[in-house]
Amino acid sequence: KDLSMGRALRHHSSSRRQSKERENNWLPKLTLENLLALLLVVAIICFVIISSLNSVVDLTVAVIPQTKETVRISNQKRKLEVLNAPLSKNANNNEGSKYHLVFSTGCSPFQDWQSYVFFYHVLKSGQEGSVTRIASCGDPDDAKALRKLHDEEIRVMSDRFYLHITPEYSRSIVPGKNYKYYNKPFGMLDFMQNVLKYPTEESKKHDDTIILLLDPDQMIVRPFTNDFSNSTEVWRPSKSKLPKRTKVEHGSPFAQQYGFGMQWKTKVNATYVANGPTRVENMDVDEARGHYVLGPPYIATARDMYKITEKWTEFCPRVHDQYPHLLAEMFAYCFAAAHLNLPHRVAQSFMVSDPGAGGEGWKLVGQMKKDVCTPPPDILPHVLHYCQRYMLGKWFMNKYRLRKDFISCEAPLLKEPPPDINSKFDYQITPEGERREFKMKTGPDRQAFMLCNVIPRLNQAAAYYKENHCNGNGFLNKTYTFHSTDDGLENDME
């Protein structure tokens, strides 16, 4: 028995030695034969993860299949990341501000001078909050030059003024089609995802921030707030049974009324735009007209603005498919808000723009009587949207005819109209010499209001530039006019 037990113990010990030898022999085999294969597997997994993240960040790939254009825009995005890195850090850390104003532009001298005017009047008006220009640049060299311009001319005004550069989206969303206003919704989504970090956990600290989205040619003259409880605002009359809210908060965005009526709904097929069922199909007229006929300024919490912007970018190409015109992106915003059941409180007095239009803040101008050139500040609209032609007598203003170097040391300032211009003229003369009679009694007062309030404010911004960047050599003479001669101006004023 003892002998048998001894043999068993020797056999067990021998088995353990053989097992240990097999383990020791296996380790070098793993290291030598499988290490490269293991590293290859890890590399493949990393590549898949990075590719997935890029496909989420690259907005255009989410909208259309991969094409040469989407590859181009993705490459742009990577090149521009270097330029945006300092801004994204600063803007994202600006948590103390309750308001964040944003406006979308291209990357051109035409929109550079408008942007300078925008930033200047935010400063002069006393508007609270941070301000970001979202610039969609197709060429990284242009983007680099714009970054330099912003740092030297805009950032020195205030450390709350930012620049966010995005790819140029106008030719890349739908291959073969060019619609420059794609830059607005897609640029906004780029900003919210890459600066405010939506929809990650990090974005939650921005949820309650009030986002104001404007256009570059909207000059702020009276500050915005998010509480209109005791304001002098003029609201759009509405038969809707929804509550008439007075404060911007979650579920309660605000915007300005525009004059396109129900076209945002009637010019498109709702099922096609939404790519399926949508509440817009059966929305009653009172709700559609009372809460969704709107445009910028848009005001919403950042959380709501992100929801809208996601759908805005999704719907905009399909709206443009069916309505390939200027206002397609605005219709897409209206559709997105309605689809999400985010009814806006619609103001008429946020803005004045078109002297012949209804639904704007002209009721405030009407209260000024003959003092349209020297208006009381408490009844001004918030924004002068100078996107039209303004004419009274031979006095004229049109942003498309203003010299592109208006904000410079060399360019003269604009000649300013007299304060009683509305009592001197009851007709218009175009720069081409055509005389026009007014069809509306309010025509002279409204034209005078825009001329008297836009031209001096353009001059104020240009003079500020000259005083701060021209070493005392800025040309400050107010001699620039849009007519070939000043004859009619002086003769008619006598």
Side-chain angles (χ1 to χ4, degrees):
K1 184 176 180 181
D2 291 340
L3 188 61
S4 297
M5 288 180 66
R7 290 194 190 99
L9 287 170
R10 285 195 298 274
H11 176 75
H12 178 68
S13 177
S14 175
S15 297
R16 289 184 62 188
R17 281 196 304 273
Q18 291 173 5
S19 175
K20 191 169 185 66
E21 286 174 2
R22 283 196 297 270
E23 289 176 7
N24 291 337
N25 289 336
W26 180 79
L27 288 171
K29 183 178 180 181
L30 172 65
T31 303
L32 295 175
E33 296 181 6
N34 296 335
L35 183 58
L36 290 176
L38 181 61
L39 291 173
L40 181 62
V41 170
V42 171
I44 291 171
I45 291 171
C46 291
F47 176 78
V48 170
I49 292 171
I50 292 170
S51 298
S52 300
L53 290 173
N54 281 341
S55 67
V56 171
V57 172
D58 193 342
L59 308 179
T60 57
V61 174
V63 176
I64 57 174
Q66 187 82 348
T67 67
K68 289 182 180 179
E69 285 295 326
T70 58
V71 170
R72 181 181 66 79
I73 200 169
S74 182
N75 289 337
Q76 283 183 37
K77 191 177 277 288
R78 293 184 184 95
K79 290 176 182 176
L80 296 177
E81 283 173 358
V82 176
L83 291 172
N84 275 329
L87 164 77
S88 299
K89 180 180 178 182
N90 292 338
N92 195 39
N93 288 339
N94 190 16
E95 299 171 36
S97 176
K98 180 178 181 178
Y99 301 99
H100 201 126
L101 287 74
V102 292
F103 64 101
S104 170
T105 75
C107 203
S108 69
F110 174 63
Q111 295 201 306
D112 289 344
W113 74 254
Q114 292 176 65
S115 299
Y116 191 92
V117 171
F118 187 100
F119 281 113
Y120 171 78
H121 281 288
V122 168
L123 197 66
K124 187 173 185 295
S125 69
Q127 174 66 55
E128 293 181 43
S130 302
V131 188
T132 297
R133 175 185 178 181
I134 302 172
S136 299
C137 299
D139 185 337
D141 289 338
D142 290 342
K144 187 176 181 180
L146 181 58
R147 165 64 62 196
K148 184 174 184 293
L149 181 146
H150 180 86
D151 289 343
E152 292 177 354
E153 298 181 4
I154 304 299
R155 189 74 174 170
V156 294
M157 284 192 207
S158 172
D159 60 4
R160 60 192 177 101
F161 291 171
Y162 301 103
L163 173 68
H164 179 67
I165 298 173
T166 79
E168 213 283 328
Y169 293 105
S170 63
R171 296 179 180 86
S172 304
I173 301 304
V174 180
K177 292 186 178 180
N178 179 11
Y179 178 56
K180 68 179 180 179
Y181 298 105
Y182 279 140
N183 283 329
K184 189 171 181 180
F186 285 91
M188 185 66 182
L189 188 60
D190 188 291
F191 166 77
M192 297 205 75
Q193 290 183 333
N194 292 302
V195 176
L196 302 187
K197 304 302 181 184
Y198 280 91
T200 68
E201 191 71 20
E202 188 179 348
S203 69
K204 289 185 177 179
K205 64 187 177 186
H206 299 295
D207 278 353
D208 296 331
T209 298
I210 304 300
I211 301 289
L212 297 96
L213 174 57
L214 297 94
D215 287 342
D217 57 357
Q218 292 187 325
M219 193 186 293
I220 295 180
V221 296
R222 184 160 65 96
F224 281 102
T225 178
N226 70 313
D227 189 346
F228 300 96
S229 304
N230 300 310
S231 74
T232 57
E233 304 303 331
V234 179
W235 303 105
R236 179 193 176 108
S238 173
K239 296 179 181 178
S240 169
K241 297 179 181 178
L242 295 175
K244 306 294 189 296
R245 293 173 175 167
T246 58
K247 188 174 182 180
V248 181
E249 51 196 358
H250 296 310
S252 176
F254 283 51
Q256 165 66 37
Q257 180 179 339
Y258 276 69
F260 49 74
M262 293 287 288
Q263 291 183 80
W264 71 269
K265 187 173 184 291
T266 60
K267 293 290 185 181
V268 296
N269 180 293
T271 304
Y272 173 78
V273 171
N275 198 27
T278 172
R279 66 183 300 274
V280 175
E281 292 177 275
N282 301 313
M283 182 179 294
D284 69 74
V285 173
D286 289 339
E287 182 184 352
R289 182 178 286 119
H291 298 283
Y292 301 107
V293 180
L294 47 84
Y298 305 109
I299 313 177
T301 63
R303 189 175 75 186
D304 284 349
M305 186 62 79
Y306 180 67
K307 292 177 185 176
I308 293 170
T309 304
E310 274 196 308
K311 288 300 178 183
W312 190 12
T313 52
E314 178 186 337
F315 295 158
C316 194
R318 290 196 283 271
V319 170
H320 191 259
D321 259 358
Q322 298 198 317
Y323 186 79
H325 303 291
L326 171 71
L327 299 182
E329 62 85 9
M330 291 181 68
F331 289 2
Y333 180 100
C334 299
F335 197 103
H339 176 81
L340 292 167
N341 194 20
L342 282 172
H344 286 53
R345 184 76 193 272
V346 181
Q348 294 182 335
S349 56
F350 281 0
M351 176 197 82
V352 290
S353 174
D354 183 353
E360 297 183 4
W362 296 115
K363 288 183 180 178
L364 295 180
V365 176
Q367 296 174 27
M368 300 171 191
K369 306 300 181 183
K370 293 299 179 182
D371 298 326
V372 293
C373 287
T374 54
D378 59 329
I379 59 171
L380 278 171
H382 292 276
V383 162
L384 303 178
H385 190 185
Y386 55 99
C387 61
Q388 308 287 332
R389 287 159 55 107
Y390 306 107
M391 294 183 284
L392 188 55
K394 283 186 73 173
W395 293 96
F396 181 90
M397 164 61 202
N398 180 262
K399 70 174 186 177
Y400 296 103
R401 296 199 179 199
L402 188 59
R403 53 190 289 173
K404 305 302 183 289
D405 66 342
F406 177 66
I407 302 293
S408 69
C409 297
E410 301 78 21
L413 301 178
L414 289 160
K415 192 163 189 173
E416 297 181 4
D420 58 348
I421 180 177
N422 54 324
S423 64
K424 289 181 175 291
F425 304 98
D426 59 0
Y427 59 88
Q428 300 169 309
I429 298 178
T430 70
E432 296 76 28
E434 178 189 352
R435 181 180 171 117
R436 297 179 181 177
E437 304 298 329
F438 284 107
K439 296 179 180 179
M440 299 169 56
K441 290 182 179 180
T442 55
D445 285 347
R446 292 183 179 186
Q447 293 287 348
F449 176 82
M450 293 304 290
L451 290 165
C452 285
N453 288 279
V454 171
I455 290 176
R457 284 178 169 83
L458 291 173
N459 281 345
Q460 290 164 12
Y464 182 88
Y465 177 90
K466 295 174 192 294
E467 290 162 5
N468 288 277
H469 298 281
C470 301
N471 298 317
N473 297 316
F475 190 55
L476 292 166
N477 290 1
K478 298 178 181 178
T479 57
Y480 187 85
T481 65
F482 294 87
H483 284 261
S484 57
T485 69
D486 290 350
D487 293 344
L489 297 178
E490 299 302 330
N491 292 341
D492 283 346
M493 288 190 293
E494 291 175 356

